Amino acid sequence: MRFLPVLLLSAAAAAQAAPNEALKPMAFLAGHCWKGEFPGGKQTDEHCFQWLLDGHALRDTHTVRAPGKPDYVGETLYYYDSAAGQVAYLYVENSGGHSRGTMKPSDTGLDFPETRFIAGGKELPYRAHWTTAPDAYEAVNEMYLKDKWVTQFKMLLRKQ
């Protein structure tokens, strides 16, 4: 019984562990869900972020919902790649597609440089930028199609 307070204090300290220094630009996302509507208002996208492994990783579980369709669900795990000296991520979605990429903080938010989404044996180059604001961020995703970058979507996601 004497060890119970020590265990409780240890658990509380772990839950409040500071994130890895390289992940701090993403700290505002952690512990919250963020929701936005795709252009046209017929689909929503919700991202929920939580720290993992004492702040060494950040999980983003996202769900795209559209009336009459099954949910599209994906998980991203952000972590500090010490060999490369940068934040990296692995994304996997419920249809089997995946990608690996990096995140770099910028003056206006977070940059996700060009990488490849792979599904069904095909690759799609894409990149993104999130412009941050209090209680919201705007995501701009671009795809490389027919020798040029094309905006896939712009979406404002608000803290829920």
Side-chain angles (χ1 to χ4, degrees):
M1 217 39 180
R2 291 176 34 205
F3 296 105
L4 186 58
V6 173
L7 288 174
L8 292 175
L9 286 174
S10 296
Q16 296 176 9
N20 178 289
E21 189 66 32
L23 293 170
K24 283 186 178 179
M26 302 182 86
F28 75 97
L29 299 163
H32 307 287
C33 292
W34 306 77
K35 189 173 183 179
E37 287 186 358
F38 282 95
K42 295 183 181 181
Q43 294 181 14
T44 62
D45 193 4
E46 182 175 44
H47 290 252
C48 296
F49 294 84
Q50 70 182 65
W51 291 117
L52 299 175
L53 306 170
D54 294 328
H56 291 285
L58 181 65
R59 173 192 279 160
D60 169 10
T61 303
H62 91 99
T63 306
V64 174
R65 293 181 177 89
K69 294 184 179 181
D71 290 349
Y72 171 90
V73 180
E75 293 246 350
T76 306
L77 185 66
Y78 297 95
Y79 60 95
Y80 178 65
D81 180 341
S82 60
Q86 63 187 351
V87 173
Y89 67 85
L90 169 64
Y91 171 73
V92 181
E93 48 94 21
N94 65 338
S95 296
H98 67 279
S99 61
R100 292 177 185 270
T102 60
M103 183 285 300
K104 297 178 181 182
S106 73
D107 291 340
T108 59
L110 308 172
D111 284 329
F112 302 87
E114 180 181 347
T115 191
R116 307 241 180 289
F117 177 74
I118 301 168
K122 296 182 181 178
E123 294 185 10
L124 175 66
Y126 75 97
R127 65 186 182 189
H129 177 76
W130 295 358
T131 302
T132 57
D135 296 329
Y137 67 93
E138 181 183 54
V140 178
N141 281 37
E142 297 178 306
M143 302 179 296
Y144 194 74
L145 298 172
K146 299 181 183 178
D147 300 324
K148 65 180 179 179
W149 287 102
V150 187
T151 300
Q152 181 183 20
F153 66 83
K154 288 184 182 183
M155 179 187 307
L156 184 66
L157 293 103
R158 297 183 189 279
K159 188 189 295 188
Q160 299 299 291

